[in-house]
Each structure stands twice: as structure tokens, then as C-alpha cells.
Amino acid sequence: MRTRTLLWVTVLGLLLWASCIQSNQEETKEETKEETEEGTPLEPVEDEEPPKKEKTTEIEEEADVMILHSVNFGRALTENKYLLVEFYAPWCGHCKQLEPVYAAAAEKLKKEESAMRLAKVDATVERELAEEFDVGGFPTLKLFINGDRKQPVDFTGKRSTDGIIQWMKRRAGPGAPVLDTVGSAAQFIDAHNISVVGFFKDLESDASKAFSDISYDMTDVEFAKTMTAEVFQKYEVKGDSVVLFKKFDDGRADFPLSEEGKLDKGNVTTFIKFNSLELIVKFSQETAEKIFTSGITLHSLLFINSTVQTQTDLVEQTRPVAKDFKGKMLFIVIDVMDPVTHVLNYFGVSADEVPTVRLINMGTEKKFGIPAGDLTVESLRQLCKDVVDGSAKPYYRSQEIPENWNEGPVKVLVGKNFESVALDQTKNVFVEFYAPWCGHCKELAPIWKELGEKYADRQDIVIAMMDATANEVESVDVKGFPTLKYFPAGGKEVVEYTGKRDLETFTKFLDNGGVLPEEEEDEEDEVDIDDAKDGDKDGDESKVEESAEETTNETEKDEL
């Protein structure tokens, strides 16, 4: 068995339809097959242990990344004013993904001959360092400034080459500039598409300091401060406030602080992220992260073909609806001419039926739609209203029922025939929910077919399977592949099968009425949907605590 890492539900939803745009499907399939079939042990087993190299204070480099250990760590801190250190494990999948990105950032910073350098520590070997710096997962990145090893700064930037460099430079920079004249304020605001200005009566206040902390983390936005009365007057700001200026939509958004002058960093960060988005956002890799971290869980997706003028006109026609629901729902345009096949599949949209709309609640993962041909501005407005007040009825994807669904030993289920078969009060139905690309599902296929053949003559037992990547059922929550569920006759409670996936154990389970002897229970690896989150919302780390028997091969479902 292994520990299953359950991620925050909202983040699951946010990444649900984005990660497919950010990754190539074929690569995902190959990685999935490789990881699920072979697994990744906590620590690699070697036939012969290589001779250990004596540690010295010398600092070696690998692809411009300094290799540190307990002996040379102190020297590295002393010699480098800004040192970002990655604590990694050789077997960690996320660490392997980060490696080329990290090396590219290290190379660029080294060529610039700046005071910023990158290093790494194998935390599975250097356990004392890992313990000293409270490394709880891999990879963990910490920035050491001026040799201070007591208070390193946790990395909060994007795990991309540019993201690492931008975050480092923001941390090494002078911080948000002070705008002490109306002219300097106007020049700063005019120079950027989006700029955030903190208006504070006292630049040494706790609120001002908290504002600076935010500026260090949000590297894709330009920040400045002012306490000059003339600047307050020019921009009609009465008291301590954070104002976001933008060269689109309303032009600005204001966040007045409370009467006590307190600034909540989380609230201000959400305010900035949300108001940095246009009223109607075109979905792309560049806008994806802002969409998914906006704090708004209701998303309205308008699918159009940008080569058709009437469809591009529809975007502007829906703008009044977007204004009416601003703050409650994000409005996003998805162009079917872009490489968005995964998104179309997830929402059950074909390119020839656009324009069409789908709404999704990222918290509940429920989806809503407008029947084909019924899309108007008013029908969109009504659907948005119904979704917001909770009266809208969600829809669930389904393939068409195959003509031969009932002919083989394993019955083929889709959303449209699931209830009539699986919930038949006179049958005991054993269903495999699978993904076509899942390695474990492919391994199970011949055994499942043999099981179907074994019980083909039993009128009270049905062996079935359903592609859970193309079909959804309201009453069934599929968290990984394969998921096996037993639906007993008489409407009894559904049983989640957790035993060994072999014919003998399956037979015992079925012959025993859906009950498996306790000693037989032995949950095997499955492909976790929840573990597909290294899209990369940074912080999705392999846990240190996993035992040697547990695998860290958490593989991905194609998520949109």
C-alpha cells in the first residue's frame, strides 16, 4: 500500500482542465506507463555501493548548480550573497522535472556574474541539513541571504527558468520604489500595463511592510509605494489603500484598508490576481495561472471559432453579462482554433458545435451547459444566475451507447446506460472504471476479460467496465485508475474493491457476495487523479515520510 496525497479540492478543480493544455498528451501517457508499471522506490537499490567520496570544503558544480553537503555548505553561504538551495531526492519525480529548469536558471545567473547563485543538496544523504532546514517534501527550495542560515526564505515563485530568475532578482532588488512626487507616480503608472501602488500615511507601518512582502512574491506585477499627500490627492485616495492601475477595462481597482489600517496579505494578493485579469479572458498558457489562482471558483467558458466573425462578435455581446457577475464568476474565451483538444474532450464540446458555453464550479467540479443552438446573451445570463443561486442542474458527459455493449463477457457502460445496468436491483454488478492510457488498467484488461468469461452464465452477476475519462456519473466518485466498485443487488451500499487484482481474489470476492476476507485486502497501486497536480502548482511535493515499501510513482490523469 502507499500513502495517497489528497490535494486541496479547489486546486484540483483549477488544474483539472488546465494541465492538459500545458502538457503534451503523448508525453503524459509515456510517463504514466513508465511510472505506474515500474514504480519508484524511496531509495534506489544498488547491486554494488560505489566508494564514497571524501567530503571537503571544495564546491563542485554540475550544470552550473553548486553541489553542497554538510562540509561545504557553510562556505557556500559565506561566498554567495543570494544562494537558492534545492533540497531534493534522486528518486523524486518532481525533482527530475525541475532539474533542467533549475540548471537553465543557474546557467543564466552565472553568466550574468550576479551575486545570485543556485545550489542543491541531496536530502536523502544530507539528513542533518534536511532536518536543520525543516525539509518536509521534495523538492524544497530555500533562499539564503547574506549567509544567514537561521532564517532562510521559502521559495514562492514559479518553477520555471524565468520564474526562478525573476523571483531571485525581486528578492535581491531594492524593493518597491517610493513615489514622492505626482510626476514620478504618473511616470510609474504609465510605464506598465498593470501596476500596484500602496498608499500609506506611514511607510514604516506594518501595512506598508506587509505590502513589501507581497511585492517580493508577485514577480509578474510592478509595485510602488507613496506617502506623499499630493499623490493621494491626484488619485483621489482618502486613506491607506492599495490601488491597482491597469490599461484595460475600468482602468483601476481600489482596495481600501480597514479603519485600523491592517493589511491582510492573503486578501490583497487575491485582489491583485483577480483584478489583473481582463473582464473576459482569452485562455492561453500565459493567462492560465492567473485564471486558476484568481480565487473565483465559478468559470464561464465561451467556446468560439475565431475565424468566424459572428462568433468573435459574440464575445463583446456577452460583456454586459460578465460585468453583472464580476467578482462572482470569471468569463473565459476558448478558441477552438488553438490546441485545446483536451479541454474540448473534458467538457464534451466538439469543434463543429461552437459557439457554445460551459460553466464549471471548480470547488464541486460540477459542470453546466446550454443546449446546442440555444445560446444567446439572455440564455447565458439566465444560466449564470441559476448557477450562482444553486438552482442549475449539472450535466455529465457520456459517450453514445455502443450497439454491441452487451455482447461480450464484459459489458461496456457509458454515462447513458450506467444506471440501468449498474443499479439494476436484480443484479450484482462489478465495474472497472478505467483510463485508456493507464498502465495498470492495461495490465488488468486480460484478467477482467477472464473474470467476465467465468461469470458469463451467471444471471445475477455482471462484469462491466466504463471509460471514466469520457463518461461521468453523478453518484460515482472516481479518484484513480483503475477504480473497482461493486454494486450489489437490492440497492445495498456500494462496495469499493481494495483487494488484489487477480482472478482468484476477484472470484472469492464475488462468490462471497462482495465481501473480501480481511487478510485478503491488499490495495495495489492505482493512478491517482489527485496526484496529477504538478502542472505545476508549486508546492506539490513528494513527501519525505513515505516508507520504503510505498511508491512515489504518482501518475497523472489527463486533466483539463
Side-chain angles (χ1 to χ4, degrees):
M1 294 181 63
R2 62 180 172 75
T3 301
R4 178 183 298 173
T5 304
L6 295 178
L7 302 180
W8 181 39
V9 175
T10 301
V11 176
L12 166 63
L14 295 176
L15 291 171
L16 194 59
W17 60 278
S19 61
C20 282
I21 302 305
Q22 299 172 342
S23 62
N24 178 277
Q25 183 181 24
E26 293 304 317
E27 291 179 357
T28 300
K29 291 181 179 179
E30 287 302 315
E31 291 173 5
T32 297
K33 181 176 180 181
E34 176 183 345
E35 294 184 8
T36 57
E37 290 181 354
E38 297 181 2
T40 309
L42 182 66
E43 296 187 5
V45 178
E46 300 177 357
D47 293 333
E48 292 185 9
E49 191 172 314
K52 292 183 179 180
K53 188 175 181 180
E54 183 180 357
K55 297 177 183 179
T56 69
T57 56
E58 293 300 312
I59 300 176
E60 297 182 354
E61 295 188 9
E62 182 179 283
D64 296 318
V65 177
M66 292 186 281
I67 303 173
L68 304 184
H69 46 69
S70 58
V71 177
N72 64 6
F73 194 87
R75 175 183 173 182
L77 294 187
T78 302
E79 295 180 351
N80 298 277
K81 187 174 183 179
Y82 298 97
L83 183 64
L84 183 65
V85 180
E86 175 201 2
F87 295 87
Y88 74 98
W91 45 260
C92 166
H94 296 299
C95 302
K96 292 176 182 177
Q97 289 181 334
L98 179 63
E99 184 175 8
V101 170
Y102 199 68
E107 180 184 14
K108 288 186 177 181
L109 289 173
K110 185 177 181 180
K111 285 183 178 179
E112 292 177 4
E113 297 183 353
S114 68
M116 297 169 282
R117 291 296 308 274
L118 270 57
K120 63 181 180 180
V121 171
D122 183 346
T124 66
V125 175
E126 303 298 327
R127 296 182 182 272
E128 289 185 3
L129 288 177
E131 183 176 348
E132 178 183 354
F133 300 115
D134 194 26
V135 175
F138 302 127
T140 289
L141 282 73
K142 292 180 180 287
L143 176 64
F144 296 84
I145 302 174
N146 292 324
D148 180 8
R149 66 190 296 160
K150 297 297 183 182
Q151 294 183 311
V153 179
D154 290 330
F155 179 82
T156 57
K158 299 176 184 177
R159 288 183 186 173
S160 64
T161 299
D162 289 340
I164 291 171
I165 293 173
Q166 288 173 356
W167 189 86
M168 290 279 286
K169 288 185 175 180
R170 180 65 64 89
R171 284 282 170 177
V178 176
L179 309 175
D180 52 8
T181 66
V182 171
S184 64
Q187 184 177 9
F188 176 80
I189 293 169
D190 187 60
H192 308 291
N193 191 47
I194 299 173
S195 54
V196 180
V197 180
F199 290 79
F200 303 105
K201 297 294 179 61
D202 179 7
L203 293 183
E204 297 301 319
S205 66
D206 290 341
S208 176
K209 293 175 182 178
F211 181 81
S212 295
D213 291 341
I214 296 172
S215 72
Y216 285 130
D217 291 332
M218 301 189 71
T219 58
D220 53 351
V221 178
E222 297 300 324
F223 290 80
K225 295 180 181 182
T226 186
M227 62 176 291
T228 304
E230 290 79 10
V231 179
F232 272 72
Q233 184 177 3
K234 166 68 177 178
Y235 294 99
E236 300 179 347
V237 178
K238 303 300 183 184
D240 283 10
S241 301
V242 175
V243 181
L244 183 145
F245 297 92
K246 51 188 175 181
K247 296 181 179 179
F248 53 86
D249 294 339
D250 298 334
R252 68 183 278 176
D254 291 60
F255 187 97
L257 301 192
S258 64
E259 292 183 2
E260 296 79 17
K262 294 182 179 179
L263 186 151
D264 183 283
K265 290 193 285 188
N267 290 340
V268 172
T269 298
T270 299
F271 162 79
I272 295 171
K273 288 181 177 179
F274 175 69
N275 286 284
S276 295
L277 291 169
E278 296 187 42
L279 184 64
I280 299 178
V281 187
K282 185 179 186 302
F283 182 76
S284 67
Q285 291 191 31
E286 289 70 32
T287 60
E289 184 184 3
K290 289 185 178 181
I291 291 172
F292 305 136
T293 59
S294 67
I296 304 297
T297 59
L298 294 179
H299 293 184
S300 172
L301 315 176
L302 174 61
F303 294 84
I304 67 165
N305 183 329
S306 60
T307 65
V308 180
Q309 185 62 44
T310 56
Q311 296 187 25
T312 57
D313 291 343
L314 184 60
V315 176
E316 286 304 309
Q317 293 167 17
T318 61
R319 187 170 289 273
V321 181
K323 285 184 177 180
D324 289 346
F325 289 90
K326 184 177 180 180
K328 299 178 181 178
M329 185 178 298
L330 287 184
F331 286 76
I332 302 158
V333 174
I334 297 179
D335 186 357
V336 297
M337 301 305 291
D338 292 336
V340 292
T341 303
H342 296 77
V343 178
L344 298 180
N345 290 341
Y346 178 72
F347 287 99
V349 174
S350 61
D352 58 5
E353 68 177 291
V354 298
T356 190
V357 163
R358 297 290 186 269
L359 268 66
I360 183 169
N361 184 322
M362 293 301 194
T364 64
E365 301 175 38
K366 290 183 178 180
K367 298 184 288 292
F368 310 85
I370 296 176
D374 292 348
L375 175 61
T376 64
V377 173
E378 287 311 309
S379 65
L380 173 60
R381 185 189 303 277
Q382 186 62 49
L383 178 60
C384 292
K385 178 179 179 297
D386 292 343
V387 170
V388 169
D389 65 27
S391 63
K393 184 178 180 179
Y395 80 91
Y396 298 91
R397 289 178 300 159
S398 176
Q399 296 172 305
E400 293 301 319
I401 302 174
E403 292 183 3
N404 61 345
W405 74 272
N406 196 31
E407 294 180 4
V410 177
K411 312 309 175 187
V412 179
L413 304 184
V414 295
K416 292 182 178 180
N417 70 345
F418 180 85
E419 289 191 4
S420 63
V421 178
L423 305 185
D424 186 336
Q425 299 290 299
T426 66
K427 309 285 187 183
N428 298 293
V429 186
F430 199 14
V431 183
E432 175 201 0
F433 298 89
Y434 73 96
W437 45 259
C438 165
H440 289 311
C441 301
K442 293 175 182 178
E443 291 176 355
L444 178 59
I447 301 172
W448 203 249
K449 181 180 179 182
E450 190 175 356
L451 184 67
E453 293 170 344
K454 183 179 180 68
Y455 288 91
D457 296 331
R458 289 282 295 269
Q459 296 300 311
D460 61 328
I461 293 180
V462 175
I463 307 301
M465 62 192 297
M466 187 175 88
D467 180 354
T469 68
N471 299 277
E472 298 170 321
V473 180
E474 182 177 8
S475 59
V476 177
D477 185 21
V478 177
K479 288 295 186 183
F481 300 119
T483 288
L484 307 178
K485 291 182 180 286
Y486 178 79
F487 298 82
K492 298 177 183 177
E493 185 176 354
V494 178
V495 178
E496 176 112 20
Y497 180 86
T498 58
K500 295 179 180 178
R501 295 197 286 262
D502 59 59
L503 185 63
E504 179 183 358
T505 311
F506 285 148
T507 301
K508 289 181 181 180
F509 176 77
L510 291 173
D511 291 346
N512 202 27
V515 178
L516 193 66
E518 185 175 346
E519 62 270 16
E520 293 288 349
E521 292 189 2
D522 182 27
E523 183 179 352
E524 300 183 31
D525 289 344
E526 67 180 26
V527 179
D528 269 352
I529 292 177
D530 290 337
D531 291 337
K533 301 298 161 309
D534 54 321
D536 165 67
K537 189 62 210 111
D538 306 333
D540 176 25
E541 300 167 344
S542 302
K543 302 300 179 184
V544 175
E545 295 83 0
E546 293 177 349
S547 68
E549 288 76 20
E550 294 167 347
T551 61
T552 58
N553 56 330
E554 295 155 347
T555 55
E556 302 184 8
K557 176 181 178 180
D558 286 339
E559 300 195 7
L560 304 175

